[in-house]
Amino acid sequence: MAHPRGGRCRLRRATKPCPPRSSGTGGAPELRQHDIRRREPAALDALAAAHSRSVEVDPLVRTAELTVVPTVSPPGLRIVGVVDADSHRHLRDALQSVASVRGDLCLEMSRVEFLDLAGLRLLMTFARARAARHCTVELAGVPPHLLQVITLIGWDTTPGLRLGAAHGC
């Protein structure tokens, strides 16, 4: 995202439309973005608390069974729903969309209801490919039943894979 004064800015969050400023224009509400480099963490937390909704990035995948949304901080994907034979192509395409991102990636999986063995293979193959570029893929929020399968098969030692926090990256 381009910064109005040149350069790039990283946004922590975009909030719901705000009421018009006190200029008295009475125009449409505006959407304000906040550069985290120019605000104190306490001010950003207060700002987030004052707004009940946030703007979310458009999903890369949205089917009846699966939703995959890119995440910015940390970079990666949030995977929600069911990964089975009908959705492997969608998951593979979503992983390819972030394959060129430099550095480590986080796949937030706390809302994955089902992930079949072929879907797990996709994730392990992706992690190995990232390891070849000296990057890791963190699987965060992996449901206990999936964590048990990953560990039982021995894929928890896959190069480039890190099993992360229980509730996100």
Side-chain angles (χ1 to χ4, degrees):
M1 170 174 289
H3 190 277
R5 295 185 203 128
R8 298 190 50 85
C9 63
R10 291 186 44 152
L11 302 178
R12 180 170 185 220
R13 58 180 67 97
T15 59
K16 72 176 184 172
C18 297
R21 293 192 176 151
S22 60
S23 63
T25 61
E30 46 184 280
L31 181 66
R32 297 186 192 143
Q33 298 175 343
H34 303 277
D35 185 345
I36 64 172
R37 297 173 300 175
R38 300 182 186 275
R39 295 211 179 233
E40 295 294 321
L44 286 170
D45 290 340
L47 188 67
H51 298 284
S52 60
R53 296 186 306 179
S54 64
V55 176
E56 189 168 282
V57 177
D58 289 336
L60 295 171
V61 174
R62 180 173 285 170
T63 67
E65 300 276 323
L66 179 68
T67 302
V68 181
V69 179
T71 58
V72 177
S73 180
L77 300 171
R78 184 174 65 245
I79 304 168
V80 178
V82 174
V83 178
D84 59 11
D86 293 333
S87 58
H88 292 155
R89 175 178 48 91
H90 298 297
L91 179 59
R92 184 175 33 257
D93 292 346
L95 292 170
Q96 287 176 350
S97 75
V98 295
S100 63
V101 172
R102 292 184 180 169
D104 299 340
L105 292 174
C106 179
L107 303 180
E108 204 291 312
M109 302 180 59
S110 63
R111 294 174 47 199
V112 171
E113 298 168 23
F114 176 79
L115 179 65
D116 68 2
L117 192 56
L120 274 172
R121 277 193 201 110
L122 280 172
L123 298 178
M124 298 308 126
T125 301
F126 183 69
R128 281 189 211 98
R130 300 284 298 168
R133 295 172 47 197
H134 307 288
C135 298
T136 62
V137 174
E138 178 178 356
L139 301 184
V142 179
H145 64 281
L146 290 178
L147 188 58
Q148 186 177 22
V149 170
I150 292 169
T151 305
L152 182 65
I153 295 172
W155 284 347
D156 56 328
T157 60
T158 299
L161 181 71
R162 184 173 68 224
L163 296 175
H167 300 290
C169 299

